[in-house]
Amino acid sequence: MALRVLVHRARRGAEEFRVIRPAEPPARAVLLDHDRYLGAYVDEHAARSIAELWLLAARSPRSLIHVPLRANTMPAPAVPDGFGSPIDLVLLHHSLQFAASDWKQVRRRLGPGRPQTVSLREAEADAPAVDHEARHHRENRDLFHEHLHAETLFLTGSAKVFRDTAQHFLDVSRNGPLHSPDLHSHSHYCTRLYADAGILGNARELHIEYCDQWDASA
């Protein structure tokens, strides 16, 4: 897996932040705030791209991984719920201790970025060995936490929880197209990061749905 990215550096006072964006942000992908839960709607390519960015977040504890999504076109037909605010996504390691309230200032100072190609092993996200019992121990720190600011979802977690959950997007990338209306009578395909899976701290459930029909401009 080779991921092309743009590496940005932005200063805020004495601090310098490293922000990584995909060189080609996924066009057929939206992230919606549905109030009680979050909804990601993706095609095959977008699901794979986000899986790669999930793995990059696991390997880059000193970087913010920014995925611009809120300006993207919605799937066609419309999202079933018929509601939800489009938002961008930032993935970051909990040790970075970045304040979401600083994001607008940092975002304004990002330059054109330096192109770079990152090599990722797909096996890193392939059916990881998960200790489900350990996830429910009180001392478990491999959890996702979220903050919402400036129309951006900040999803904070450990390297392990990013690595363990990237396979959800790979699963949608691989199996979603098999449930296309042209190939299968049951066209809906989705997965979810569940609240009772032992991976969510103060973060809401994330529903990930495959969509193969998009506006022609997407």
Side-chain angles (χ1 to χ4, degrees), residues 64 72 78 81 118 124 143 178 184 210:
L64 291 90
N72 285 354
D81 298 81
V118 181
E124 292 179 47
L143 301 170
L178 302 178
H184 203 283
Y210 174 75

Side-chain angles (χ1 to χ4, degrees), residues 144-162:
F144 282 126
H145 299 281
E146 71 167 77
H147 299 278
L148 194 62
H149 185 77
E151 299 177 291
T152 303
L153 174 74
F154 293 82
L155 198 59
T156 304
S158 67
K160 178 175 173 53
V161 75
F162 277 116

Side-chain angles (χ1 to χ4, degrees), residues 151-206:
E151 299 177 291
T152 303
L153 174 74
F154 293 82
L155 198 59
T156 304
S158 67
K160 178 175 173 53
V161 75
F162 277 116
R163 189 168 54 249
D164 287 354
T165 54
Q167 54 90 18
H168 284 274
F169 287 96
L170 278 181
D171 172 49
V172 171
S173 175
R174 292 166 177 165
N175 296 308
L178 302 178
H179 292 256
S180 168
D182 296 333
L183 301 174
H184 203 283
S185 58
H186 179 60
S187 60
H188 182 83
Y189 192 84
C190 66
T191 184
R192 186 183 289 259
L193 303 185
Y194 285 99
D196 60 0
I199 56 174
L200 301 181
N202 71 344
R204 288 168 287 174
E205 289 190 341
L206 174 61

Side-chain angles (χ1 to χ4, degrees), residues 27-41:
R28 294 187 171 186
V30 292
L31 178 62
L32 299 182
D33 183 347
H34 288 301
D35 191 20
R36 290 180 300 171
Y37 69 97
L38 301 163
Y41 302 88

